[in-house]
C-alpha cells in the first residue's frame, strides 16, 4: 500500500498505529507496526516522511509535555535506500534503488526524550533474481547457450565514414537461451545463420525457432539454418538469369511504370525463387527425417518405445535474402512459423515481409516438419514476398522470443512507429552504429537480448542487416 496523499495518512488515528509502555528509561516500545509505501527491489523508491514525523512529534509532546528538539531516523543501512531529514526536523524522505527485499524497519527517535517509533514497509523481490541459471543438460546435440555472428563486407565507410547507398550491409546476429530454459536447465532451441557472396552481392540470413515441446528441436533448427544457407549459396548466388530479372524489375519499378512488364517480371522472379526458398524448408524436413531415423537405428533394442520422428525436431524457419541493383535494393523473404521479417527505411516506411503463421488451434504455429505445409503450392508461393527500395536503414528477422515482447499485437507488428522505436532502441544501445566493428555490435546485441519483459522468457534470436 502506498500513500501519496498526506491528508489520507494524517486522517488515520495515530493512536491505532502507535502504542507505548513506560519503562525506567522513559522509552516507548511500539507493539503495532505501521507499514508505509511498499516498494520493490531494484526499482526507484521514494516516500515522504513529513506526515509521519509530524504525528510522531505531536504524540511525543502530548505524552511528555515537551516538544522534541530533534528526530533521528535509522535502520536502512546497506539496503540501497537513503534517509534524509531536514535541519528543522520537520521533513524527511526515504529514496533510492533498494538492492534487498523483504520487510525493512526504520526507527524514529525523539531527542532528548529518547522515545522511539518503529515503522516497517515491504520490498517485493526483484523477479529477475528469482530465475535460476541451471547449466544445459544434454543426452546428445550439445551446443552453447549463446551465439553471435557478424559479416563486414568491404565498404569505404568502414573507417568511420558514413554509409551510403553504394556500400554493403553490415550483418550482425545473436541467439540467447531464454530464462525459462535456463530455469529448467534446458538447452537453447533457436538457431541462426548468415552468408554474403562477394561475387554476386547476395546476402542470405536465416533464423529458426525449435519447438519447445520437441525434444530435439535444437537440432531441427540447426539443420534448417545450415540447409537454407547451403541451398541459397548453391542456387541463389549462381543464378545469373535471376540476377538479370531482378535488375530489369528494379529498373522498371524505379520508373514507377504501372505496366504489364512489372507483373510479368514479378511472376518470373517469384517462379525462380519458388525453386530456391521453399526448397530450403522442404530439404530441411528431409534431412530432419533422415536424422531421426539415424538416431532410432542407434538406440538399443531394449528401448523400442524411444523412437523419434520429425515431430521431435520441429522448428520454424525464416529466410531473408537481399542484393543491390544499381542504387536500389531488392529483398525477398520466405517464412514458415511465427517470428518477424521486416524492411525499415530511413524515412520510416515499413515493409513487413512475414505473416503470423498460426496452426489449427490458438497458440499453435506451423513448423517445417509438417507435411501439410507443402500440400498447397499456391499457399507456398504466397509465403514468398519481395520488396524494392533505396538502401534500407535495416532489414531484421527474428524469432518470436524477440517479436512477442517488442510487438504485443498484430497491430503493433504492422506499425512503422513500433519498428522505429525498436530501431531507436538498438541505436541507443550502440548495437547499430556507423563505425563500430561488427563483432562489437554483435556482442552488444547479445547482451541486449537479455532485456526484461514480464511473461516473455523464451529463447531470443535476431539477425540485422544495416
Amino acid at each position: 500500500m502506498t500513500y501519496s496523499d498526506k491528508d489520507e495518512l494524517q486522517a488515520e488515528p495515530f493512536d491505532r498505529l502507535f502504542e507505548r509502555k513506560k519503562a525506567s528509561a522513559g522509552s516507548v516500545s511500539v507493539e503495532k507496526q505501521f507499514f508505509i509505501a511498499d516498494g520493490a527491489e531494484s526499482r526507484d523508491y521514494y516516500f515522504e516522511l513529513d506526515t509521519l514525523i509530524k504525528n510522531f512529534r505531536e504524540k511525543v509532546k502530548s505524552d511528555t509535555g515537551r516538544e522534541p528538539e530533534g528526530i533521528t531516523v535509522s535502520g536502512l543501512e546497506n539496503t540501497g535506500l537513503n534517509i534524509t531529514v531536514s535541519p528543522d526536523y520537520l521533513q524527511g524522505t526515504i529514496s533510492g534503488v533498494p538492492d534487498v527485499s523483504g520487510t525493512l524497519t526504520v526507527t524514529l527517535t525523539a531527542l532528548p526524550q529518547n522515545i522511539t517509533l518503529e515503522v516497517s514497509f515491504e520490498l517485493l523481490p526483484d523477479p529477475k533474481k528469482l530465475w535460476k541459471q541451471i547449466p544445459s543438460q544434454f543426452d546428445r546435440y550439445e551446443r552453447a547457450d549463446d551465439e553471435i555472428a557478424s559479416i563486414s563486407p568491404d565498404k569505404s565507410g568502414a573507417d568511420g565514414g558514413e554509409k551510403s547507398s553504394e556500400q554493403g550491409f553490415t550483418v550482425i546476429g545473436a541467439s540467447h537461451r531464454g530464462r525459462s530454459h535456463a530455469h529448467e536447465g534446458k538447452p537453447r532451441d533457436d538457431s541462426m545463420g548468415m552468408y554474403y557472396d562477394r561475387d554476386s552481392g547476395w546476402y542470405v540470413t536465416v533464423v529458426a525457432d525449435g519447438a519447445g515441446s520437441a525434444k530435439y528441436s535444437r537440432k531441427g533448427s540447426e539443420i534448417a539454418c545450415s540447409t537454407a544457407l547451403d541451398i541459397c549459396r548453391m542456387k541463389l548466388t549462381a543464378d545469373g538469369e535471376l540476377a538479370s530479372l531482378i535488375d530489369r524489375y528494379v529498373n522498371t519499378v524505379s520508373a514507377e511504370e504501372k505496366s504489364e512488364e512489372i507483373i510479368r517480371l514479378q511472376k518470373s522472379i517469384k517462379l525462380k525463387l519458388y525453386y530456391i526458398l521453399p526448397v530450403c524448408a522442404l530439404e530441411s524436413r528431409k534431412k530432419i527425417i533422415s536424422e531421426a531415423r539415424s538416431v532410432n537405428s542407434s538406440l538399443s533394442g531394449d528401448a523400442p518405445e524411444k523412437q523419434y520422428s520429425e515431430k521431435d525436431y520441429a522448428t520454424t524457419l525464416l529466410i531473408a535474402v537481399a542484393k543491390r541493383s544499381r542504387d536500389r535494393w531488392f529483398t525477398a523473404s520466405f517464412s514458415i512459423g511465427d517470428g518477424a521479417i521486416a524492411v525499415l527505411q530511413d524515412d520510416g516506411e515499413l515493409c513487413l515481409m512475414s505473416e503470423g503463421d498460426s496452426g489449427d488451434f490458438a497458440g499453435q504455429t506451423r513448423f517445417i516438419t509438417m507435411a501439410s505445409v507443402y500440400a498447397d503450392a499456391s499457399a507456398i508461393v504466397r509465403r514468398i514476398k519481395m520488396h524494392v527500395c533505396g538502401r534500407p536503414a535495416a532489414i531484421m528477422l527474428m524469432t518470436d522470443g524477440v517479436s512477442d515482447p517488442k510487438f504485443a499485437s498484430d497491430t503493433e507488428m504492422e506499425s512503422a512507429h513500433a519498428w522505429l522505436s525498436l530501431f531507436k532502441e538498438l541505436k541507443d544501445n550502440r548495437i547499430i552504429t556507423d563505425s563500430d566493428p561488427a563483432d562489437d555490435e554483435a556482442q552488444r546485441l547479445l547482451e541486449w537480448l537479455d532485456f526484461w519483459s514480464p511473461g516473455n522468457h523464451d529463447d531470443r534470436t535476431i539477425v540485422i542487416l544495416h
Side-chain angles (χ1 to χ4, degrees), residues 3 12 70 76 134 142 145 167 204 215 258 266 282 301 321 350 352 362 379 386 411 414 430 438:
Y3 289 95
E12 183 74 14
L76 297 182
I134 301 175
E142 292 190 20
D145 291 338
Q167 296 163 5
V204 182
K215 182 176 178 61
K258 304 298 182 181
Q266 285 177 333
L282 187 60
V321 299
L350 169 72
L352 191 61
M386 303 186 304
T411 301
E414 297 169 1
R430 294 182 58 238

Side-chain angles (χ1 to χ4, degrees), residues 252-264:
T252 305
V253 171
S254 298
E256 296 184 355
E257 296 178 2
K258 304 298 182 181
S259 64
E260 293 182 0
E261 176 68 3
I262 292 179
I263 298 175
R264 188 185 69 78

